[in-house]
Amino acid sequence: MMCPKVLLPRWWRGATILLAMIVPSIILFYAKSQSARCGFVMVVMAVMWVTEVIPLPVTALIPVFAFPLMGVLSTDILREMDVIKANEDSHHVGFTNHAEETGHIAKNREETSEESEIGQVEVLEATAARTRKEDARTEAERRKLEAVKMECLSLKQMLFLSVAFSANTGGTGSPLGCGPNIVLMGLLDSFDNSMGLNFATWMMFNVPGVIMCALLGWLWLQILFMCCGKNRVQRSTPEKEHALRKFIEGHYRALGPVSRKEAVVVTSFLILVMLWVFRDPGFIPGWATYYTTPGDSVYVKAATPVMLMVFLLFCIPAESKPAPGAKQVERCMNWEAVHKKVPWGIVILLGGGLVLAEGAKHSGLSIYFSQQLTRLKDLPKEALVVLVCLMAGGMTEFASNTATASILLPMLANLALAIQVHPLYLLIPATACCAYAFMLPVATPGNAIVLSASGMRTSVMIRAGIVMNIVCIIVTVFLINTLGYAIFDLNTIPTFSNSTTL
């Protein structure tokens, strides 16, 4: 049976919008009061909310323009105009008072020396000199205020960029830190061969890189904002440090004591990390091996402890006893919070990326591109990994890092097999560089949030990010050619590499 909305004509939304605005207008003919106009707007919104002819958040914008137009309520931009007008009025009053004061002075001087023209000239010269002095002082204060504003803007940009840099580099520290990492782990799991890459070895390799990139990023921001340009951030003073300390202490005290719910969540997270690390660490038997018999096709993977901790959070009470009047004990997690706060769009994006990778594999697209890339087999593998990092970093600036990893990683895996290079030698640097995108807001969610919250121009992010991209690529290439060989034994090609494709 077809949905009723399918049977409606295509113009039903437009007709509903017109009717929702015309029919309730009867209210305005019978009652012309302010409350009637408010009721008209409420009826229009109610009809549009019920019928959903336009998105619900868009319907919520109606009062913003309808109330001022119908004389129901003024907007705030108007309040700003009132403030500006008040400031202008006060400035005008001050100027008038100053003129009156000058006039009184001149009048007094004139009364005391009515018969002396020299005295009048002195009064005029003194008044002019004082006016010039006040104008110079006002100009100096204006310039000083402008310099302070520009310095604050530079400091604001530096702090916001440091958040973006930290988020992008920190996401490579664990397999679950960002989307490309999950794509790589899912890719290896689908082949039932991790090649020694697990939670522990991943952190052993990438955490040093996170620390190095974070320190170099801090150094670059210091150079860019404190040593370059005319609006440099000045060095800290004892007064600034004292004010900042009071600000942080005030916000820290406002947090209050640690609640039972917070303690449970922190403890659960620490237990989860330990379960991740020691599930299959490689250097000792992991706890997952005790739940898997030899030859069994069922494996305990990283998702198992995650789901266990989530289940426990739904079971553990948030308080030792229920609140007065409460029908049941509140739990540390409830479904309403999950429904509202889980970024389902990102979850769908990750799933779509994995499906895209699987489709590229089964359709033969990844094999085709890897065959085209085999033309680079004559390059030294050290130069090849640099080229791979540059390609991954460049692609992810203009596309989602998860989508970039989903398309690129299967191709690089097949390329590694074709030229007889350990797959992790190309896959790990490419995965890390998919997260090292610092130039454009579309590259990572962190960049987009920072650009929106800070209000900085995209050119500022590009100027700071291009150097950071190069720095992180250099660090990644250095680590894979040093620490990577020690952790993953990259000199030994996996046995399944005799096949033509992963």
Side-chain angles (χ1 to χ4, degrees):
M1 182 176 179
M2 297 182 65
C3 177
K5 285 188 177 181
V6 178
L7 300 176
L8 294 175
R10 296 181 178 180
W11 43 264
W12 76 272
R13 292 181 182 274
T16 304
I17 293 175
L18 290 177
L19 291 175
M21 299 180 67
I22 294 175
V23 175
S25 63
I26 300 175
I27 301 175
L28 302 179
F29 288 96
Y30 288 92
K32 299 184 179 181
S33 63
Q34 190 178 37
S35 59
R37 294 193 294 270
C38 180
F40 166 77
V41 175
M42 293 178 64
V43 172
V44 172
M45 292 181 63
V47 173
M48 291 188 177
W49 264 332
V50 172
T51 57
E52 295 186 15
V53 290
I54 58 176
L56 300 183
V58 178
T59 304
L61 297 177
I62 292 178
V64 179
F65 64 86
F67 281 168
L69 293 176
M70 304 188 70
V72 177
L73 188 67
S74 61
T75 60
D76 292 339
I77 297 176
L78 297 181
R79 291 181 183 176
E80 292 295 330
M81 294 288 288
D82 293 339
V83 172
I84 294 174
K85 184 177 183 302
N87 291 336
E88 292 177 349
D89 293 342
S90 63
H91 177 72
H92 176 71
V93 170
F95 181 81
T96 304
N97 293 337
H98 174 67
E100 292 177 354
E101 180 184 357
T102 304
H104 287 307
I105 294 175
K107 184 177 180 180
N108 293 336
R109 290 288 182 89
E110 185 178 358
E111 290 176 354
T112 56
S113 57
E114 293 179 352
E115 300 177 357
S116 175
E117 293 182 359
I118 298 177
Q120 294 178 358
V121 173
E122 290 177 352
V123 170
L124 294 175
E125 291 179 350
T127 303
R130 186 173 65 176
T131 301
R132 288 193 299 269
K133 185 177 180 180
E134 291 180 352
D135 290 343
R137 183 177 61 185
T138 303
E139 180 66 18
E141 291 177 352
R142 187 189 65 80
R143 291 181 178 179
K144 184 178 179 180
L145 180 60
E146 188 68 21
V148 171
K149 288 182 177 179
M150 295 305 297
E151 181 185 356
C152 291
L153 178 61
S154 298
L155 178 61
K156 175 183 176 181
Q157 293 174 348
M158 181 174 69
L159 294 178
F160 270 101
L161 286 173
S162 67
V163 173
F165 289 1
S166 302
N168 292 342
T169 56
T172 63
S174 75
L176 302 180
C178 61
N181 304 356
I182 300 176
V183 172
L184 177 58
M185 298 302 289
L187 181 67
L188 298 181
D189 285 344
S190 65
F191 305 129
D192 296 330
N193 193 328
S194 65
M195 292 172 280
L197 183 63
N198 51 48
F199 205 95
T201 56
W202 183 294
M203 295 186 67
M204 289 172 60
F205 175 80
N206 281 293
V207 169
V210 170
I211 296 174
M212 294 173 64
C213 291
L215 292 176
L216 291 173
W218 169 83
L219 179 61
W220 165 235
L221 290 177
Q222 300 291 314
I223 296 173
L224 181 61
F225 287 95
M226 300 187 68
C227 301
C228 302
K230 61 180 181 179
N231 302 318
R232 295 191 297 269
V233 178
Q234 302 298 323
R235 294 191 177 276
S236 179
T237 62
E239 292 79 10
K240 292 181 179 179
E241 293 178 358
H242 178 70
L244 181 60
R245 188 179 299 109
K246 289 185 62 176
F247 174 80
I248 295 176
E249 289 176 353
H251 280 265
Y252 178 75
R253 288 192 297 268
L255 293 175
V258 178
S259 65
R260 174 189 172 96
K261 183 187 296 187
E262 293 170 340
V264 171
V265 172
V266 171
T267 304
S268 302
F269 178 74
L270 294 177
I271 294 174
L272 176 60
V273 171
M274 298 302 294
L275 291 175
W276 273 336
V277 172
F278 293 101
R279 178 182 65 88
D280 185 18
F283 56 91
I284 59 173
W287 60 265
T289 59
Y290 296 101
Y291 297 91
T292 304
T293 57
D296 196 350
S297 60
V298 178
Y299 300 94
V300 178
K301 297 184 178 179
T304 301
V306 176
M307 293 299 102
L308 174 61
M309 290 297 110
V310 170
F311 176 78
L312 292 178
L313 289 177
F314 275 96
C315 299
I316 300 175
E319 302 294 340
S320 57
K321 57 181 180 180
K327 296 181 180 180
Q328 57 184 359
V329 179
E330 181 185 1
R331 308 295 173 178
C332 291
M333 181 69 74
N334 58 74
W335 184 250
E336 182 181 2
V338 173
H339 177 70
K340 290 183 178 180
K341 297 185 178 181
V342 170
W344 297 108
I346 296 178
V347 175
I348 295 173
L349 177 62
L350 293 176
L354 294 176
V355 172
L356 183 63
E358 191 69 15
K361 172 188 172 184
H362 285 283
S363 66
L365 181 63
S366 60
I367 298 177
Y368 170 78
F369 279 108
S370 62
Q371 289 174 348
Q372 302 304 313
L373 291 174
T374 53
R375 299 176 182 179
L376 304 174
K377 62 182 179 181
D378 295 331
L379 287 176
K381 62 179 182 179
E382 293 79 10
L384 181 60
V385 75
V386 173
L387 184 61
V388 165
C389 290
L390 291 173
M391 182 169 55
M395 289 177 60
T396 195
E397 291 291 350
F398 302 96
S400 164
N401 52 7
T402 303
T404 301
S406 300
I407 296 172
L408 189 60
L409 294 185
M411 301 179 190
L412 294 178
N414 290 312
L415 172 63
L417 296 179
I419 63 176
Q420 288 296 293
V421 173
H422 196 294
L424 294 183
Y425 184 76
L426 300 181
L427 292 178
I428 293 180
T431 303
C433 289
C434 283
Y436 292 153
F438 308 96
M439 295 172 57
L440 295 175
V442 298
T444 63
N447 291 6
I449 293 172
V450 164
L451 191 72
S452 175
S454 65
M456 73 174 71
R457 298 190 304 271
T458 306
S459 59
V460 177
M461 180 172 283
I462 293 175
R463 181 183 61 178
I466 187 171
V467 174
M468 195 62 187
N469 272 27
I470 297 173
V471 167
C472 291
I473 288 175
I474 293 174
V475 170
T476 302
V477 173
F478 170 76
L479 288 177
I480 196 63
N481 285 289
T482 54
L483 193 60
Y485 278 89
I487 296 177
F488 302 111
D489 190 19
L490 299 179
N491 286 320
T492 304
I493 309 299
T495 55
F496 66 86
S497 63
N498 295 327
S499 61
T500 58
T501 177
L502 285 180

